[in-house]
Amino acid sequence: MYRQSVSRSTPGCVVILLDRSDSMKLPWGKSGDSLAVGAALAVNNILLDMCVKATTEVNAPVRHYFDVGVFSYGARLTGPGGEGVEPAFGGPLAGRGLVPLPELAAHPMAVRQEPSIDLMPVNVKMPVWVDPAHGYRTPMCQAVAVAGGYVFDWAAAHPDSFPPIIINITDGMVTDNPYDGATIQEWVERLTAIETRDGRALFFNVFLSPVEVPEIVFPSDPGGLPLPGPDLFALSSVLPAPMVENARVDGYDVRAGAKGLAFNVGRSTLLRVLQVGTRVPDRSA
Amino acid sequence: MHAWQVVFSVPKHGNSEAEWEDGAAAAPGDPATGRGPRFAVADGATQGFGSTRWAMRLVEGFVGEGAGGLDEIPDLAAEPLHRWLRRTQDRWRHDPLLAQATDMQVYKLETVGSFATFLGCEFVDLDGPHPHWSAVAIGDTVLFQVRGDELVATFPPIPAHGFGVNPHGLPTGPKALEAVVDRLLFDEGVLLDGDVIYLATDAFADWVLREEEGDRRELWTTLAGLDHPERFRALVDDRRRANDMVNDDVTLMRVSISAAGPENLVVCL
């Protein structure tokens, strides 16, 4: 299980659930930016990272190694506005659910100067697919339900691929629990029951904190986690062996049974966690 | 003694032949200099940039088919190899092809580049009193020496199940090169009439070592009997379907050594 490498015949699927609730307006530590700005920056960085990894040669298109989706929950930027869940891509990809990587690479909403993710005092010119936003409450159940629909269809069409990876970036408590007759636990169970021949879908969580507190990354035990840590721990999938290896290579002390959960993380850690969580098995050489 | 080689390769399932990112090359010896025949196999990084060009530059340069030709063939020692690798890096980074690169491609070239595992081998003194192979390696591309049905040498000595996803390799980045030169491994072994040398990239080498723990006679008979690219492809496809071989580019070079030379010339159409 969890051994399939990505290729164009067996692409992977990465879905990011992005909290756009009102509390995302809070400043993120000493960065000077809000949680919303930092999270959008990290999402744009990981999307660029995936495009770069699939860039292999001059005169060759970005390879279709992944189908990628970003769904926001909280403030809606399209349609009637208000609170809800929607695909978060802007520009030419607005309204699209899962997008093949070559199409993603070709259609950012803008290429502009963005601050460095690691808080270095430099700006870099980079493509942008998702803008920061915040407002309203935190309809996480609905986000899991909406993403689950896309993930279900994708898994049915890609039975031999590495299972879908869903990464939830949030700063708050669920506010729509239960939703449509099911609790957040039940929605996540439905989501992670979706499977390919290589295993069940993986659901990872990243919790952002506006205050500077110790980071907890890939815990194997919920003991000591402040709220809502224990709940997110229970919802999070165990890291499969290839990701444990990735995390250890990145310097994390990952123990048996470690969950795909990062708690109270800063901006650079958020990106590193996203990189670990989106790096599926690959033959490095 | 004579040595003659055949190379088999299969790209990752789902990729085209043009997306094979390994490299393999061989060249006969040079009586004028006394240099013996050379053989090399490299495995370019899947997530690198220009990995095929890098792997091919390495193997062609090592055997003397690169830009510098025979004049730049490195001796099998750390310092000559270091100098040769610096020249090879420079040529790779200044490939005229790169003038057509997009911003994202230039970004990946400069921030990531590529690397490749590598195994290069020379047969020394084939017609003399002490015929032997001499090899350099980094990473998990492996040389197997087989005598009869017995595996008499494995280089580098990677144990079964020891093939990781983060092997050492030769990088395209000049700074990174300094750190890996110390990781080059060297070895040599006596050659006898009838020996067969195999050079295999990691996915195939991993499978070979696991099979070798079982019915080794069947394994070596099968590999010695490969006589057509389609038979090799069928073997790899079969093992992939059985989840017995990871889905990776696969390359196998078989070099046969004989006092008599080959009995037949086979052309596969």
Side-chain angles (χ1 to χ4, degrees), chain B residues 54 82 85-86 89 92-93 109-116 138 167-184:
Chain B
W54 179 235
H82 190 183
L85 285 166
R86 279 204 301 258
Q89 282 186 330
W92 183 86
R93 294 179 67 81
L109 167 72
E110 293 177 349
T111 59
V112 179
S114 188
F115 81 100
I138 185 165
H168 296 309
L170 297 173
T172 56
K175 290 179 182 172
L177 178 61
E178 306 307 317
V180 303
V181 168
D182 290 342
R183 294 185 176 134
L184 290 173

Side-chain angles (χ1 to χ4, degrees), chain A residues 89-113:
Chain A
F89 293 131
L93 301 177
R96 297 280 301 277
L98 296 181
V99 176
L101 206 54
E103 198 177 347
L104 186 83
H107 296 103
M109 60 191 291
V111 177
R112 64 190 182 212
Q113 296 286 334

Side-chain angles (χ1 to χ4, degrees), chain B residues 5 15 27 30 38 40-41 46 51 57 66 83 85 94 124 128 130 135 160 179 193 199 202 207 239 249 260:
Chain B
Q5 80 284 342
N15 285 357
D30 179 7
R38 284 198 167 195
V41 170
T46 299
S51 293
R57 272 198 187 275
R83 289 195 300 272
L85 285 166
H94 293 92
V124 182
H130 304 294
D193 182 9
L199 310 186
D202 58 342
W207 174 76
R239 293 301 80 207
D249 293 329

Side-chain angles (χ1 to χ4, degrees), chain A residues 76-131:
Chain A
R76 287 171 55 103
L77 300 183
T78 62
E83 178 182 303
V85 177
E86 63 182 1
F89 293 131
L93 301 177
R96 297 280 301 277
L98 296 181
V99 176
L101 206 54
E103 198 177 347
L104 186 83
H107 296 103
M109 60 191 291
V111 177
R112 64 190 182 212
Q113 296 286 334
E114 291 281 296
S116 167
I117 192 77
D118 54 9
L119 302 184
M120 297 291 284
V122 295
N123 285 352
V124 292
K125 196 173 181 182
M126 62 175 284
V128 172
W129 290 272
V130 174
D131 264 339

